[in-house]
């Protein structure tokens, strides 16, 4: 597959990446299939708040959906590694679409909160993990080339773009068409986009043959470096969840609730810009060291959020926080290529995305309680605490991210192969 891209000695760039043979066949349907995920939370919140009149109930349903996704996503990734992405996607998108429609019907029928929470479990558990699947396909195409870092950056920017467009589309549908329009559209787009992506059989990672079935049962978490990355991504999830709640509370406290979208947009733009730059640079520094440096910057900038007392200062800090997040995400996903064998890579990616979702769900809950019980802006303590604790873990266990002979030996339980350079 390395022959499908420019030689290893060339400077990596987005032009080379997008000229990779067959890339567009999974990029376009992959973008369509992952867009609904960015619509899910806000669609749920707006629908449940409309039917129950309670933001607390809406937050509870959304949190259950996020936790359910975080807990079940790695198992879906493991099944995709073992049986193929198509075999997991086809039933997954059907279950998710039906669950989303059922949750909509229950909400409109004024069902009790316990019924909405029960319906939220399969809705979250069946969220298609298209992003990790796209990353796994890049791994097949770019194996042994320096373009893996560029691909990780490209995927980070794509994720941010979906999380800019998705909430805007969902909000417009829920407020301009009908409260249920956002969730119903999310279900429909998941079904159509997921089926189109699953149809691209030629680019999905091959399923290991039966002689490797035994090692496929080993979880990607047996690679200790993946466990370190899970903790670091939990901290990033704390930033996303804490920012969402705390920005809304801050703008409400200053009498300008309309600024919430603007401030979060500045945060997302910072993430997108730094992600684009990160992927365009030919890095010489080891990725493990870059991860520690980038995460230190994230912890420092996130620690200043709760001190902001004006929208302008908060926008500036939010921009810096966003610019610090993308490099850490990119390096984390890139390290998976070195740490984890192809047979378990989709599962590893879903552990990371699940960690972000779990951190976000926990942060939304805790930040909301802090805002209600303490002072305006107290929710910003959640991003600070989450990133500082994750940074301490990363620094203490950074040797676990090494990809030398010792790490390869520790990873034999999942059939690890010799790593390739990405810098």
């Amino acid at each position: 597959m390395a022959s499908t891209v420019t030689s290893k000695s060339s400077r990596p760039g987005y032009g080379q990446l997008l000229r990779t043979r067959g890339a567009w066949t999974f990029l376009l349907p992959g973008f369509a299939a992952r867009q609904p995920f960015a619509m899910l939370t806000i669609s749920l919140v707006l629908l449940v708040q409309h039917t129950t009149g309670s933001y607390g109930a809406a937050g509870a349903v959304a949190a259950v959906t996020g936790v359910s996704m975080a807990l079940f996503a790695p198992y879906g990734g493991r099944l995709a590694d073992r049986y193929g992405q198509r075999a997991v996607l086809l039933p997954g998108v059907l279950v998710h679409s039906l669950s989303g429609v059922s949750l909509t019907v229950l909400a409109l029928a004024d069902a009790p909160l316990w019924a909405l929470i029960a319906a939220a479990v399969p809705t979250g558990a069946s969220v298609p993990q298209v992003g990790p699947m796209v990353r796994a396909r890049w791994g097949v195409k770019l194996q042994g080339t320096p373009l893996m870092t560029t691909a990780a950056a490209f995927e980070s920017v794509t994720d941010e773009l979906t999380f800019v467009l998705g909430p805007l589309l969902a909000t417009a549908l829920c407020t301009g068409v009908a409260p249920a329009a956002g969730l119903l559209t999310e279900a429909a787009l998941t079904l159509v986009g997921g089926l189109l992506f699953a149809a691209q059989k030629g680019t999905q990672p091959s399923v290991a043959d039966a002689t490797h079935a035994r090692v496929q049962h080993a979880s990607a978490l047996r690679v200790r470096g993946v466990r370190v990355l899970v903790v670091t991504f939990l901290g990033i999830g704390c930033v996303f969840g804490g920012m969402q709640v705390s920005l809304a509370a801050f703008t409400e406290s200053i009498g300008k609730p309309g600024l919430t979208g603007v401030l979060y947009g500045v945060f997302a733009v910072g993430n997108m810009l730094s992600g684009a730059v990160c992927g365009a640079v030919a890095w010489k520094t080891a990725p493990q060291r870059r991860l520690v440096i980038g995460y230190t910057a994230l912890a420092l900038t996130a620690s200043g959020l709760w001190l902001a007392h004006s929208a302008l200062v908060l926008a500036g800090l939010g921009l810096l926080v966003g610019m610090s997040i993308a490099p850490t995400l990119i390096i984390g996903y890139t390290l998976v290529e070195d740490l984890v064998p192809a047979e378990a890579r989709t599962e590893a990616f879903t552990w990371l995305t699940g960690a972000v979702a779990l951190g976000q769900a926990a942060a939304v809950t805790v930040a909301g309680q802090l805002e209600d019980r303490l002072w305006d802006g107290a929710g910003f303590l959640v991003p600070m605490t989450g990133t500082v604790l994750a940074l301490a873990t990363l620094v203490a266990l950074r040797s676990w991210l090494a990809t030398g002979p010792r790490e390869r030996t520790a990873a034999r339980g999942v059939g690890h192969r010799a790593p390739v350079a990405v810098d």
Side-chain angles (χ1 to χ4, degrees):
M1 286 298 179
S3 62
T4 62
V5 295
T6 308
S7 67
K8 191 171 180 176
S9 61
S10 300
R11 179 186 177 89
Y14 293 112
Q16 295 176 26
L17 180 72
L18 297 178
R19 287 195 297 271
T20 301
R21 186 179 306 163
W24 287 103
T25 63
F26 65 85
L27 280 182
L28 291 179
F31 182 79
R34 71 211 294 182
Q35 186 64 57
F37 176 57
M39 302 172 59
L40 180 58
T41 299
I42 188 65
S43 296
L44 276 173
V45 169
L46 293 176
L47 172 61
V48 176
Q49 193 280 329
H50 173 80
T51 57
T52 65
S54 169
Y55 279 106
V61 174
V64 168
T65 303
V67 171
S68 181
M69 192 278 279
L71 294 178
F72 283 90
Y75 297 100
R78 190 173 180 183
L79 290 173
D81 285 325
R82 185 176 182 186
Y83 298 109
Q85 294 182 359
R86 178 182 171 87
V88 175
L89 268 175
L90 292 179
V93 296
L94 291 174
V95 171
H96 182 74
S97 299
L98 290 174
S99 299
V101 172
S102 299
L103 184 52
T104 303
V105 171
L106 288 171
L108 294 176
D110 295 324
L113 180 59
W114 66 263
L116 299 180
I117 289 176
V121 173
T123 301
S126 59
V127 170
Q129 298 301 308
V130 177
M133 291 181 180
V134 171
R135 286 182 166 91
R137 294 188 187 215
W138 277 125
V140 172
K141 287 288 184 181
L142 305 176
Q143 182 175 343
T145 77
L147 282 173
M148 276 305 302
T149 299
T150 309
F154 181 83
E155 289 304 307
S156 179
V157 173
T158 301
D159 283 339
E160 283 307 309
L161 182 59
T162 63
F163 276 94
V164 170
L165 297 178
L168 290 176
L169 176 59
T171 302
L173 289 170
C174 291
T175 58
V177 179
L183 192 55
L184 290 176
T185 301
E186 187 272 343
L189 288 177
T190 297
L191 180 63
V192 175
L195 293 177
L196 289 174
F197 183 75
Q200 309 306 314
K201 296 183 289 184
T203 55
Q204 71 173 345
S206 61
V207 179
D209 57 40
T211 61
H212 294 93
R214 182 177 63 83
V215 298
Q216 288 181 46
H217 286 288
S219 171
L221 279 183
R222 290 188 62 179
V223 180
R224 58 185 187 176
V226 173
R227 299 198 292 272
V228 177
L229 292 175
V230 165
V231 174
T232 62
F233 276 53
L234 274 170
I236 293 173
C238 288
V239 176
F240 286 127
M243 290 283 282
Q244 288 175 350
V245 172
S246 303
L247 286 176
F250 176 83
T251 56
E252 184 72 28
S253 69
I254 64 174
K256 298 180 180 179
L259 283 178
T260 301
V262 175
L263 292 176
Y264 200 82
V266 170
F267 166 72
V269 167
N271 204 336
M272 291 177 62
L273 290 177
S274 64
V277 172
C278 187
V281 174
W283 297 99
K284 302 298 183 183
T285 309
Q288 295 87 348
R289 184 179 180 186
R290 299 204 315 270
L291 182 61
V292 173
I293 294 173
Y295 216 92
T296 300
L298 175 59
L300 289 174
T301 53
S303 296
L305 290 170
W306 71 281
L307 297 173
H309 298 293
S310 72
L312 185 61
V313 173
L314 192 54
L317 285 171
L319 179 67
L320 294 176
V321 172
M323 292 176 67
S324 301
I325 284 180
T328 59
L329 289 173
I330 292 165
I331 298 166
Y333 283 122
T334 303
L335 279 169
V336 168
E337 168 68 16
D338 283 355
L339 293 167
V340 183
E343 305 89 58
R345 202 166 290 148
T346 305
E347 181 200 346
F349 286 137
T350 54
W351 275 113
L352 300 189
T353 56
V356 173
L358 185 60
Q360 182 172 349
V364 166
T365 304
V366 175
Q369 292 296 319
L370 292 178
E371 292 289 348
D372 287 342
R373 298 173 183 272
L374 299 179
W375 64 89
D376 293 328
F380 286 124
L381 294 173
V382 174
M384 179 186 73
T385 304
T387 54
V388 168
L389 291 176
L391 176 61
T393 303
L394 174 61
V395 171
L397 303 178
R398 62 188 182 280
S399 62
W400 289 16
L401 298 173
T403 55
R406 182 180 300 178
E407 177 61 30
R408 290 199 296 273
T409 300
R412 278 179 191 160
V414 290
H416 199 75
R417 60 172 177 80
V420 295
V422 294
D423 284 325

